[in-house]
Amino acid sequence: MKAQEIDKLNEANLVLRHFVDLSARLLPFLDELQRKKNPTLEELQNKNKIIDVFESYNFDTRTSEMLIGSNVLELIKKSFDHISQTSYFLRPGQKNGVLNKFLQEYQRLSDNWYFISTN
């Protein structure tokens, strides 16, 4: 493999990692906002901005499987779709199982990335 190809793979991994990190912060916040029965104007604006972020991404969920051996992009997509469609109907404190699966995979990946960076 040429140095240029390695650089492209490293860059793709970095972009993927940033997107996964961003998703781990935004999706729980979106879930919280989506559950609000009487959101403020600012909360509605924040919710719409987050939705715009995820709707603007056109990614192939298989990318993460090829790059890092994880279905994390598929979990992000499923989490976003589930939050968008059902979070309003969940009771306060009720767990969002789809989001929890993503957050568990995120934690596993984060642990792996931390381990790799310390070696």
Side-chain angles (χ1 to χ4, degrees):
M1 189 177 292
K2 296 179 182 178
Q4 188 176 22
E5 293 169 334
I6 293 171
D7 286 341
K8 285 182 181 181
L9 280 175
N10 286 338
E11 185 177 337
N13 277 323
L14 185 61
V15 169
L16 176 62
R17 184 173 175 178
H18 285 295
F19 180 70
V20 171
D21 286 336
L22 178 67
S23 297
R25 289 191 305 269
L26 291 181
L27 288 173
F29 186 50
L30 177 60
D31 186 54
E32 180 184 324
L33 291 172
Q34 190 74 352
R35 291 173 188 241
K36 293 217 174 219
K37 300 301 180 199
N38 296 309
T40 66
L41 179 59
E42 182 180 1
E43 289 169 333
L44 286 172
Q45 290 171 335
N46 287 337
K47 183 172 87 168
N48 289 332
K49 286 177 188 176
I50 295 170
I51 289 170
D52 287 345
V53 166
F54 285 98
E55 287 182 344
S56 70
Y57 277 100
N58 292 319
F59 53 84
D60 184 348
T61 57
R62 294 173 296 173
T63 302
S64 63
E65 292 173 16
M66 293 183 315
L67 288 175
I68 59 174
S70 169
N71 67 335
V72 71
L73 288 179
E74 180 181 346
L75 293 171
I76 289 170
K77 182 173 180 359
K78 284 181 179 179
S79 294
F80 172 72
D81 291 343
H82 191 264
I83 290 167
S84 299
Q85 297 167 9
T86 64
S87 285
Y88 183 78
F89 302 105
L90 296 176
R91 294 183 312 274
Q94 186 177 357
K95 299 284 185 185
N96 182 328
V98 178
L99 177 60
N100 284 342
K101 285 181 184 178
F102 160 63
L103 293 174
Q104 287 172 350
E105 179 63 4
Y106 171 70
Q107 187 60 54
R108 186 188 73 78
L109 290 171
S110 294
D111 292 345
N112 287 347
W113 290 330
Y114 176 77
F115 178 75
I116 290 167
S117 71
T118 60
N119 288 323

